[in-house]
Amino acid sequence: MKTCHKCGAYVEDKAQYCPECGATIVKSYGNLSLKEEVEVKKKGNPMGTTVSTGSGLTDILRAEDHGDLDESFYGGGPVTFTDPYANDDYVAKEKTDFSAVKTLIKLIILAAIIYAGYYVIHDVILARKDVTSYEEAFEIYVEAVNEQDSNALKEIMAPYINDRLGEVEYQLEQMEGVEFTEWEIVSAEEFTESEEKALQQEITLNGKSFGIQRAYHIKANFYGTVDGSKRGAENVDMVFIKGDNKWFFDPSDYDNSTFTQ
């Protein structure tokens, strides 16, 4: 006698259905070798995944004839599918690694946004455009003194001046407490060819690289206060130089004490 693969009841050899549970009795096609790998073709395994029966007895099934069979039929035990993604540790590691990559990408994007924002604010919004005239450079000088703004004064300080930062600090220190309320350029006289040549030679001898395009002597009047006391200075000599298409202030012969004394 045979046994029902579904409920285990004994059935007659020629029986087609189990008298106990009614399951279809499957014909046996003989014994196969232990742990033989077979290709299961049924609805639950459409890709033909290899399974191991592990019992020593297997039957070659056809899904269309035995669609009602469960996985416990194959060797009397649960079927084990070979699936690399069935390992929870493997899946968790993949998710963790991918999450770390996404976090790194987000940090890189955030850093790029911060840097771009700093550049826009510092170098575009806050930065002045090139000074295009000695009148503009003169206005920046007045503003720098009134605001004690070292950045503004450094912007127009001639680049060939030795220790530019030190010169900026010195100029602002000498003008501390000064507030210009009125100012004007009285006259402007362009350097003669010999004056310009002499200054260019001096710059070169000092090891500086700066090509003079134009240079002006100007006389200016300043009116305002020093520590609250009214002061004024007239016909103050100042020099403004153009180079690299930008105007600069040259304090070499500038006497700022004419206003403070």
Side-chain angles (χ1 to χ4, degrees):
M1 297 183 72
K2 299 186 293 183
T3 59
C4 175
H5 72 277
K6 197 77 171 180
C7 65
Y10 287 102
V11 297
E12 295 293 333
D13 290 340
K14 296 182 179 181
Q16 295 183 353
Y17 302 96
C18 174
E20 296 295 330
C21 66
T24 302
I25 303 302
V26 179
K27 296 181 180 180
S28 173
Y29 292 90
N31 295 335
L32 299 177
S33 60
L34 289 174
K35 298 184 179 180
E36 179 179 3
E37 302 292 328
V38 298
E39 295 295 325
V40 179
K41 305 293 185 178
K42 68 175 212 170
K43 294 180 182 179
N45 183 28
M47 299 302 295
T49 304
T50 301
V51 300
S52 175
T53 65
S55 68
L57 292 176
T58 56
D59 291 290
I60 309 302
L61 304 178
R62 297 186 54 167
E64 61 269 25
D65 294 336
H66 307 289
D68 61 334
L69 300 182
D70 59 30
E71 292 177 349
S72 64
F73 170 75
Y74 306 106
V79 177
T80 302
F81 291 86
T82 304
D83 184 358
Y85 296 99
N87 188 321
D88 291 341
D89 292 338
Y90 175 82
V91 175
K93 182 176 183 301
E94 287 293 310
K95 290 182 177 179
T96 300
D97 292 345
F98 186 62
S99 177
V101 171
K102 290 197 297 182
T103 300
L104 179 60
I105 293 175
K106 289 180 180 179
L107 290 175
I108 293 174
I109 294 174
L110 179 61
I113 293 174
I114 293 174
Y115 177 80
Y118 172 81
Y119 170 79
V120 170
I121 293 173
H122 185 269
D123 293 345
V124 177
I125 298 177
L126 297 182
R128 297 178 186 270
K129 297 179 180 178
D130 286 348
V131 182
T132 58
S133 67
Y134 66 82
E135 293 94 343
E136 184 179 354
F138 176 75
E139 292 292 331
I140 293 174
Y141 168 80
V142 173
E143 178 185 336
V145 171
N146 282 346
E147 301 295 333
Q148 285 287 295
D149 188 343
S150 59
N151 288 329
L153 187 55
K154 180 175 66 176
E155 183 179 351
I156 60 168
M157 186 64 64
Y160 54 80
I161 298 295
N162 291 322
D163 190 13
R164 291 178 68 232
L165 294 180
E167 184 64 34
V168 168
E169 293 175 1
Y170 170 76
Q171 290 291 331
L172 293 181
E173 181 181 340
Q174 293 298 306
M175 301 298 283
E176 188 173 1
V178 171
E179 182 179 359
F180 296 132
T181 56
E182 295 181 43
W183 55 91
E184 63 176 340
I185 296 175
V186 179
S187 65
E189 184 180 346
E190 192 166 6
F191 273 35
T192 64
E193 184 177 344
S194 59
E195 288 177 322
E196 184 176 314
K197 184 177 180 180
L199 179 56
Q200 186 67 71
Q201 289 178 344
E202 182 181 346
I203 293 172
T204 304
L205 288 174
N206 287 332
K208 304 293 183 178
S209 177
F210 183 85
I212 299 176
Q213 294 173 302
R214 299 184 73 179
Y216 274 86
H217 294 286
I218 74 165
K219 290 187 181 294
N221 294 339
F222 296 99
Y223 305 97
T225 61
V226 178
D227 295 328
S229 300
K230 289 185 178 181
R231 295 286 178 85
E234 297 181 345
N235 296 317
V236 177
D237 291 316
M238 301 180 75
V239 172
F240 289 91
I241 309 290
K242 182 180 181 182
D244 297 328
N245 296 317
K246 181 177 178 179
W247 285 88
F248 298 94
F249 168 52
D250 183 341
S252 302
D253 299 322
Y254 175 59
D255 183 7
N256 54 24
S257 65
T258 55
F259 188 83
T260 57
Q261 291 181 351

